[in-house]
């Protein structure tokens, strides 16, 4: 398998596959792309079969397109499985190409083993039943269990409506278009103080606005634009104390242990962000970035669910050898989902470049794509771990209070019963002694009577 895989990678020049290697019309067609997540948090690899027409002249380019997407995904996710969505709606006999299907199966069986979570076949026409019997023979018994046939009523067992197109009964407004390629649906998240209108906005500006809103709550918007904010020494002192409290709170976060060691930044945690449950109160989580270069590194955070999360800072820089703590928290009590992803983007800045908001904005517009380090993080919820512990402790305390009373009463009863039993035993012993004495007396009388008779 290793030898076959290397030969295949050489034949298809997989390491060198890029958008320029694929005919533009094939990219514009939208028959193969990555978009959305299933209920288990696995990326969806869409294959819209209706756009495929069996043609020996184009089959090699289509195979390269499959290899291009799988290699692109493998480099980014590093082992995270995908769910293949075979969309067979509106397909006919001219779309049946068993050679192409065999190639896709071999990609997951030999070239990208363990990358297949499951293969969902949607709305398969009855005329294709015979073809998929042949496919099952290629897969083997273990892989056959990964095949999931679904109709419009069953597809939601595997994918939520938010990632299903309307023809599948979903609400996803996504429409494939090229260029650009689908970039894993990452967008700018909410900052800590509210939604970001554009990536050009920076956290410093938002902080100033939020401070103004907190201080001038009773002042109208028009008055806020005219009246300057008055700051006295006591306010500065209280503000410093608040900042110290915030810093202490950030320091109180449990530092993630796992580390992803990238060429520019070490990122911790390495793979998953762990959020506590709503009941526990520990909804926030921490991302720690450490600059391992000799230059300033600019970074920004993006997410697949920008409306759900507040991130601070979401767009800033990190000095050489320094570390930055990024606080991530669900917005407005929204629940964390395993489908949500975060993207950390980083690029090395020149020493002459400034790190202000304007400089960072201009830097991200001009930095080449191949100079940007990217790392993805999945979300994971620890369901009521702490509340359960606290509840158990509270219950234990309550139980201990209740049981102590019960035990006390039971001990009293036991002592009473023991005293009664002791009295009963004393009576029994006394009765036995009395009976023994009477027996001995009776025996003595018998002996006396017998001796006097003779």
């Amino acid at each position: 398998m290793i030898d076959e895989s290397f030969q295949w990678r050489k034949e298809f020049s997989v390491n060198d596959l890029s958008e320029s290697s694929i005919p533009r019309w094939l990219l514009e067609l939208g028959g193969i792309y990555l978009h959305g997540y299933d209920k288990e948090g696995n990326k969806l690899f869409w294959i819209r079969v209706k756009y495929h027409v069996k043609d020996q002249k184009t089959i090699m380019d289509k195979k390269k397109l499959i290899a291009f997407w799988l290699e692109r995904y493998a480099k980014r996710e590093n082992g995270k499985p995908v769910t293949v969505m075979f969309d067979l709606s509106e397909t006919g006999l001219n779309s049946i190409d068993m050679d192409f299907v065999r190639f896709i199966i071999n990609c997951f069986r030999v070239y990208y083993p363990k990358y297949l979570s499951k293969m969902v076949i949607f709305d398969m026409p009855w005329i294709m039943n015979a073809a998929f019997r042949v496919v099952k023979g290629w897969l083997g018994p273990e892989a056959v269990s990964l095949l999931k046939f679904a109709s419009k009523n069953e597809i939601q067992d595997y994918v939520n409506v938010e990632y299903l197109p309307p023809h599948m009964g979903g609400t996803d407004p996504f429409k494939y278009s090229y260029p650009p390629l689908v970039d894993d649906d990452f967008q700018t998240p909410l900052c800590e103080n509210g939604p970001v209108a554009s990536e050009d906005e920076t956290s410093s500006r938002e902080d100033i606005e939020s401070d103004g809103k907190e201080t001038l709550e009773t002042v109208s918007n028009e008055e806020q634009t005219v009246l300057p904010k008055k700051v006295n020494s006591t306010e500065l002192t209280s503000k410093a104390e608040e900042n110290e409290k915030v810093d202490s709170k950030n320091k109180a976060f449990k530092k993630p242990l796992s580390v992803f060691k990238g060429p520019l930044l070490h990122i911790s945690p390495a793979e998953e962000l762990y959020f506590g449950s709503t009941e526990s109160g520990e909804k926030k989580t921490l991302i720690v970035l450490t600059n391992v270069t000799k230059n300033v590194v600019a970074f920004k955070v993006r997410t697949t669910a920008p409306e759900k999360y507040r991130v601070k800072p979401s767009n800033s820089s990190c000095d050489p050898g320094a570390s930055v703590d990024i606080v991530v928290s669900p917005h407005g009590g929204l629940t964390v989902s395993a489908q949500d992803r975060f993207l950390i983007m980083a690029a090395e800045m020149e020493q002459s470049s400034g790190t202000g908001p304007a400089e960072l904005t201009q830097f991200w517009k001009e930095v080449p794509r191949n100079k940007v380090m990217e790392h993805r993080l999945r979300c994971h919820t620890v369901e009521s771990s702490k509340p359960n512990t606290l509840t158990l402790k509270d219950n234990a305390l309550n139980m201990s209070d209740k049981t102590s009373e019960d035990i006390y009463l039971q001990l009293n009863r036991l002592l009473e019963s023991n005293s009664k039993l002791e009295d009963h035993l004393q009576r029994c012993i006394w009765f036995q002694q009395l009976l023994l004495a009477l027996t001995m007396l009776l025996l003595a009388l018998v002996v006396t009577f017998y001796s006097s008779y003779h």
Side-chain angles (χ1 to χ4, degrees):
M1 287 177 66
I2 293 174
D3 186 55
E4 183 181 348
S5 180
F6 278 128
Q7 289 181 8
W8 173 77
R9 292 183 71 87
K10 183 178 179 180
E11 178 187 354
F12 278 77
S13 301
V14 176
N15 289 347
D16 301 323
L17 280 179
S18 62
E19 293 177 52
S20 59
S21 308
I22 312 297
R24 185 181 175 90
W25 68 269
L26 202 52
L27 292 168
E28 292 175 344
L29 191 63
I32 300 166
Y33 56 87
L34 289 162
H35 172 70
Y37 300 89
D38 67 4
K39 285 190 171 183
E40 297 174 354
N42 299 314
K43 193 73 179 175
L44 297 178
F45 185 41
W46 292 86
I47 300 177
R48 305 290 303 277
V49 182
K50 73 174 184 177
Y51 293 117
H52 176 78
V53 178
K54 188 174 182 179
D55 184 3
Q56 291 300 321
K57 295 180 181 179
T58 61
I59 188 64
M60 191 63 180
D61 290 329
K62 292 175 182 176
K63 288 180 178 180
K64 283 187 176 182
L65 182 60
I66 292 285
F68 165 75
W69 276 113
L70 290 178
E71 184 71 8
R72 174 185 170 93
Y73 177 81
K75 286 179 178 179
R76 292 190 171 198
E77 292 294 339
N78 191 26
K80 178 69 177 176
V82 296
T83 294
V84 178
M85 295 288 289
F86 261 105
D87 184 4
L88 293 170
S89 57
E90 303 178 28
T91 55
L93 287 173
N94 60 340
S95 298
I96 300 177
D97 188 349
M98 301 309 293
D99 179 48
F100 189 52
V101 175
R102 182 193 286 270
F103 172 79
I104 295 172
I105 290 171
N106 276 339
C107 281
F108 287 105
R109 187 178 62 85
V110 182
Y111 313 136
Y112 298 90
K114 302 298 181 182
Y115 267 89
L116 181 63
S117 168
K118 54 185 167 292
M119 190 177 290
V120 181
I121 293 92
F122 174 75
D123 199 18
M124 188 180 73
W126 64 270
I127 201 168
M128 293 187 178
N129 284 332
F132 268 90
R133 288 196 193 98
V134 177
V135 171
K136 287 181 180 180
W138 295 338
L139 288 172
E142 291 184 3
V144 166
S145 63
L146 302 179
L147 285 178
K148 311 293 181 183
F149 294 88
S151 62
K152 192 173 182 179
N153 297 327
E154 300 165 338
I155 191 66
Q156 292 183 29
D157 294 341
Y158 309 105
V159 183
N160 288 325
V161 291
E162 60 184 304
Y163 288 121
L164 288 175
H167 74 274
M168 289 186 175
T171 59
D172 189 2
F174 171 79
K175 291 183 179 180
Y176 178 89
S177 62
Y178 179 82
L181 286 173
V182 184
D183 191 20
D184 292 348
D185 322 308
F186 287 100
Q187 301 174 41
T188 305
L190 290 168
C191 70
E192 190 175 73
N193 303 304
V196 179
S198 67
E199 286 191 348
D200 295 345
E201 290 189 20
T202 61
S203 58
S204 60
R205 180 181 171 185
E206 289 151 5
D207 290 340
I208 294 170
E209 291 177 354
S210 66
D211 292 342
K213 289 177 183 177
E214 290 173 2
T215 310
L216 305 174
E217 286 180 345
T218 58
V219 184
S220 64
N221 293 332
E222 293 179 359
E223 292 173 338
Q224 285 182 26
T225 58
V226 177
L227 296 175
K229 182 181 175 181
K230 295 182 180 180
V231 181
N232 54 36
S233 59
T234 57
E235 287 178 347
L236 288 172
T237 305
S238 62
K239 193 68 178 178
E241 291 176 355
E242 289 176 5
N243 290 336
E244 287 178 3
K245 290 179 181 178
V246 171
D247 292 339
S248 64
K249 285 181 180 178
N250 288 341
K251 289 177 183 177
F253 273 105
K254 186 176 181 181
K255 296 288 184 180
L257 297 178
S258 58
V259 180
F260 166 78
K261 296 182 178 180
L264 305 180
L265 296 175
H266 285 184
I267 301 173
S268 184
E271 295 182 357
E272 290 187 333
L273 291 176
Y274 286 88
F275 292 85
S277 62
T278 306
E279 294 82 4
S280 69
E282 295 182 353
K283 294 181 290 183
K284 293 183 179 180
T285 190
L286 197 66
I287 303 173
V288 181
L289 306 182
T290 303
N291 185 349
V292 295
T293 70
K294 296 181 179 179
N295 294 320
V296 175
V297 172
F299 68 86
K300 61 180 177 179
V301 183
R302 306 187 78 186
T303 179
T304 56
E307 72 285 350
K308 279 189 182 182
Y309 298 96
R310 290 185 173 187
V311 178
K312 184 174 181 180
S314 61
N315 185 8
S316 188
S317 61
C318 184
D319 294 331
S323 294
V324 176
D325 291 349
I326 300 174
V327 180
V328 182
S329 59
H331 173 58
L334 295 172
T335 56
V336 178
S337 172
Q339 299 172 349
D340 301 337
R341 297 285 189 278
F342 279 85
L343 172 67
I344 311 295
M345 301 175 67
E348 199 169 3
M349 302 181 73
E350 296 180 359
Q351 293 182 356
S352 59
S353 301
T355 57
E359 288 85 353
L360 285 173
T361 300
Q362 190 63 28
F363 171 77
W364 285 113
K365 287 181 180 179
E366 296 176 352
V367 62
R369 181 79 181 190
N370 60 355
K371 299 291 184 181
V372 178
M373 183 195 100
E374 295 184 354
H375 184 65
R376 286 155 177 75
L377 297 170
R378 301 186 293 272
C379 293
H380 183 79
T381 306
V382 182
E383 288 295 340
S384 302
S385 58
K386 187 170 181 179
N388 284 344
T389 307
L390 292 175
T391 304
L392 286 172
K393 288 181 179 178
D394 293 340
N395 289 340
L397 291 173
N398 294 333
M399 287 292 290
S400 63
D401 293 339
K402 292 179 181 178
T403 52
S404 61
E405 294 176 1
D406 295 340
I407 291 171
Y408 179 74
L409 292 173
Q410 289 177 7
L411 283 173
N412 283 336
R413 293 193 191 105
L414 185 61
L415 288 172
E416 290 176 2
S417 61
N418 283 343
S419 61
K420 291 178 181 179
L421 181 61
E422 187 177 356
D423 293 341
H424 181 69
L425 287 173
Q426 289 290 341
R427 292 191 191 98
C428 289
I429 293 170
W430 179 80
F431 180 75
Q432 286 178 349
Q433 290 174 348
L434 179 62
L435 184 62
L436 180 61
L438 289 174
T439 304
M440 293 297 292
L441 180 60
L442 182 61
L443 183 61
L445 289 173
V446 170
V447 170
T448 304
F449 176 79
Y450 180 75
S451 60
S452 62
Y453 179 78
H454 287 282

